[in-house]
Amino acid sequence: MRILDAREMMRMNTATRVRKKSTNISLDAALVEEAKALNINLSAALNSALENVVRAQRQARWREENQAAIAAMNRFTEEHAIPGSSDGLRVFK
């Protein structure tokens, strides 16, 4: 049995449900020529880069929207954490 990591699962999900849309974009001509010389699939490379940017923006937005809850949970954890001097108990930080 093969265990998939999150990245592989996302690629599989993306590959099975994606509709493609033609889009006109402007890129550095020299960079495009070098990519072609290196046999880089521009659509795949740009799609991957865009996925990364979108994911990062979603994460940043989520952190911002949940900042109060995260701070509250951190306070709760600090107040109710296992004391560092407890024998035989490991403290996670």
Side-chain angles (χ1 to χ4, degrees), residues 25-41:
I25 57 172
S26 298
L27 301 170
D28 181 316
L31 189 58
V32 170
E33 291 304 316
E34 187 172 0
K36 285 182 181 181
L38 295 168
N39 295 320
I40 294 173
N41 180 327

Side-chain angles (χ1 to χ4, degrees), residues 10 52 57 69 71 78 90-91:
M10 187 173 147
N52 291 336
Q57 288 294 326
E78 284 293 320
R90 183 172 175 191
V91 177

Side-chain angles (χ1 to χ4, degrees), residues 3 14 19-20 24 48 51 58 86:
I3 298 174
T14 301
R19 276 189 4 213
K20 301 228 176 190
N24 291 326
S48 178
E51 284 177 348
R58 284 181 184 158
S86 297

Side-chain angles (χ1 to χ4, degrees), residues 8-81:
E8 288 175 311
M9 290 176 66
M10 187 173 147
R11 279 192 205 117
M12 287 175 60
N13 288 340
T14 301
T16 58
R17 63 181 164 90
V18 169
R19 276 189 4 213
K20 301 228 176 190
K21 178 175 174 61
S22 293
T23 305
N24 291 326
I25 57 172
S26 298
L27 301 170
D28 181 316
L31 189 58
V32 170
E33 291 304 316
E34 187 172 0
K36 285 182 181 181
L38 295 168
N39 295 320
I40 294 173
N41 180 327
L42 287 178
S43 292
L46 294 172
N47 197 71
S48 178
L50 187 57
E51 284 177 348
N52 291 336
V53 170
V54 168
R55 184 180 317 105
Q57 288 294 326
R58 284 181 184 158
Q59 290 171 348
R61 181 179 290 171
W62 184 91
R63 280 191 302 273
E64 184 178 318
E65 290 171 352
N66 292 283
Q67 186 175 17
I70 293 167
M73 188 58 151
N74 287 338
R75 282 190 303 276
F76 177 85
T77 302
E78 284 293 320
E79 292 169 8
H80 299 90

